[in-house]
Amino acid sequence: MSLVILGTVAFDAIETPFGKTDKILGGAATYISLAASNFIPETKILSVIGDDFPEEYLTMLQSKGANIEGLRRIAGEKTFFWSGVYHNDMNTRDTLDTQLNVLLKFNSSLPESYKDADFVMLGNLDPSIQLAALEQFNQRPKLVVLDTMNFWMDIALEPLVKVISKVDVLTINDEEARQLSGEYSLVKAARKILAMGPKFLIIKKGEHGALLFSEDEIFYVPALPLEEVFDPTGAGDSFAGGFTGYLCKTRDISFENMKRAVLFGSAAASFCVEKFGTERLESITPEDFSNRVQEFVDLSQVEIDW
Ligand code: AMP
């Protein structure tokens, strides 16, 4: 059982209606790894950082089970930097700045110890790098999950379509599903996107939950109405980490088990938004997690007597 996670390990500067941060720890692989650590003892990170990246962040990730053999530091380069501002409803955001920096030097060569992984999470990153990483496994992993965003649809659609054709599950948000398919209806969008290759599609709808599609089934998990929402950054990645971490732990990739995985992913995302950056994810206990999952179950379960 092992999970390789590709994605950014980054600095983020975030502004929400509740406050503003300077450069803090962020990145898709960071959030995915922290969320997955609630299910499996080790995650193998494949990413790149510059020499400005603090050692203490690496120590924290390792303390949460991250294997960082594939997290390479490149001297003389700066770490990937992203900054964004959220609108009042917190469901939409504008990217203020994306500095690729060290990502432009990313050599995706997989460490030998990563090559037999059976679960792979291709987190948000340049699709050419996602493709190059996927080609290096010794055998086709049991499950490959892909996350991406509008940024890559705008500037790298061709390699993105290629990588989409090679994965089992694609996770994107509703706006991105519409952009990728050219359809407003999410049902029509899902049909078109599934025809591009993936067997399953997850459409994340922020505070309105998430939809799981297969060719002939749809499943929906609501988002938990939360008392405190400070910062949605990383919610999508935390969802992906909870989803893949649970599937990796249970080793069952049926549609039935993916329904449970969507619930666990939603629970991970619900923690992420409660504080700025990775702060809340760093402090979840197993008890917190099981209580939260129960809240999700209670939220929409009802006995119906016809
Ligand atoms: P999410 O809120 O789940 O969509 O992910 C937010 C994280 O994605 C932040 O921590 C950023 O560092 C990272 N990020 C933002 N833009 C990009 C990009 N173009 N490529 C890869 N990662 C990105």
Side-chain angles (χ1 to χ4, degrees), residues 172-194 201 203 205 211 213 218:
I172 46 180
N173 70 30
D174 42 2
E175 279 311 303
E176 291 156 353
R178 290 184 172 119
Q179 179 170 346
L180 186 62
S181 64
E183 293 285 354
Y184 180 80
S185 150
L186 293 181
V187 175
K188 286 186 183 163
R191 203 172 298 133
K192 274 198 177 170
I193 294 168
L194 290 174
L201 170 70
I203 300 183
K205 292 164 59 65
L211 290 158
F213 293 88
I218 307 180

Side-chain angles (χ1 to χ4, degrees), residues 8 10 12 26-28 31 80 82 93 124 149 151-152 232-237:
T8 40
D12 291 344
Y31 283 102
F80 174 83
W82 174 80
R93 71 182 176 204
N124 186 15
M149 72 186 290
F151 181 84
W152 302 111
T233 308
D237 304 314

Side-chain angles (χ1 to χ4, degrees), residues 63-76:
S63 76
K64 296 281 173 187
N67 174 340
I68 57 167
E69 194 187 340
L71 175 55
R72 292 166 186 122
R73 192 189 280 281
I74 303 191

Side-chain angles (χ1 to χ4, degrees), residues 199-255:
K199 288 188 271 309
F200 305 99
L201 170 70
I202 294 170
I203 300 183
K204 299 166 286 181
K205 292 164 59 65
E207 66 170 338
H208 304 298
L211 290 158
L212 167 68
F213 293 88
S214 71
E215 200 187 337
D216 44 23
E217 284 179 277
I218 307 180
F219 178 69
Y220 172 67
V221 171
L224 202 63
L226 292 169
E227 198 134 343
E228 309 278 17
V229 178
F230 275 102
D231 171 20
T233 308
D237 304 314
S238 304
F239 177 94
F243 177 79
T244 46
Y246 178 75
L247 291 176
C248 186
K249 176 184 170 185
T250 53
R251 313 197 56 72
D252 171 356
I253 55 171
S254 64
F255 188 78

Side-chain angles (χ1 to χ4, degrees), residues 75-274:
E77 295 292 333
K78 281 163 69 180
T79 298
F80 174 83
F81 172 73
W82 174 80
S83 111
V85 57
Y86 288 84
H87 302 162
N88 268 342
D89 67 358
M90 301 260 258
N91 259 338
T92 48
R93 71 182 176 204
D94 291 327
T95 290
L96 298 177
D97 198 3
T98 302
Q99 295 175 17
L100 297 176
N101 296 334
V102 73
L103 267 198
L104 296 170
K105 301 267 170 72
F106 195 170
N107 164 4
S108 60
S109 74
L110 274 186
E112 278 307 314
S113 64
Y114 285 29
K115 287 190 176 169
D116 284 319
D118 43 6
F119 286 75
V120 176
M121 177 67 227
L122 299 175
N124 186 15
L125 200 65
D126 182 334
S128 307
I129 300 176
Q130 293 173 321
L131 268 174
L134 192 53
E135 275 158 12
Q136 295 170 58
F137 289 92
N138 286 338
Q139 60 280 318
R140 172 59 163 83
K142 188 176 160 80
L143 187 81
V144 181
V145 182
L146 173 74
D147 186 36
T148 189
M149 72 186 290
N150 52 355
F151 181 84
W152 302 111
M153 291 175 195
D154 293 339
I155 69 163
L157 188 59
E158 206 183 306
L160 179 61
V161 168
K162 195 162 173 205
V163 70
I164 288 174
S165 75
K166 292 178 185 289
V167 304
D168 302 298
V169 185
L170 172 66
T171 72
I172 46 180
N173 70 30
D174 42 2
E175 279 311 303
E176 291 156 353
R178 290 184 172 119
Q179 179 170 346
L180 186 62
S181 64
E183 293 285 354
Y184 180 80
S185 150
L186 293 181
V187 175
K188 286 186 183 163
R191 203 172 298 133
K192 274 198 177 170
I193 294 168
L194 290 174
M196 293 165 78
K199 288 188 271 309
F200 305 99
L201 170 70
I202 294 170
I203 300 183
K204 299 166 286 181
K205 292 164 59 65
E207 66 170 338
H208 304 298
L211 290 158
L212 167 68
F213 293 88
S214 71
E215 200 187 337
D216 44 23
E217 284 179 277
I218 307 180
F219 178 69
Y220 172 67
V221 171
L224 202 63
L226 292 169
E227 198 134 343
E228 309 278 17
V229 178
F230 275 102
D231 171 20
T233 308
D237 304 314
S238 304
F239 177 94
F243 177 79
T244 46
Y246 178 75
L247 291 176
C248 186
K249 176 184 170 185
T250 53
R251 313 197 56 72
D252 171 356
I253 55 171
S254 64
F255 188 78
E256 265 321 287
N257 202 44
M258 278 194 196
K259 291 182 182 175
R260 291 179 204 106
V262 171
L263 200 149
F264 282 94
S266 303
S270 76
F271 284 114
C272 174
V273 304
E274 287 179 336

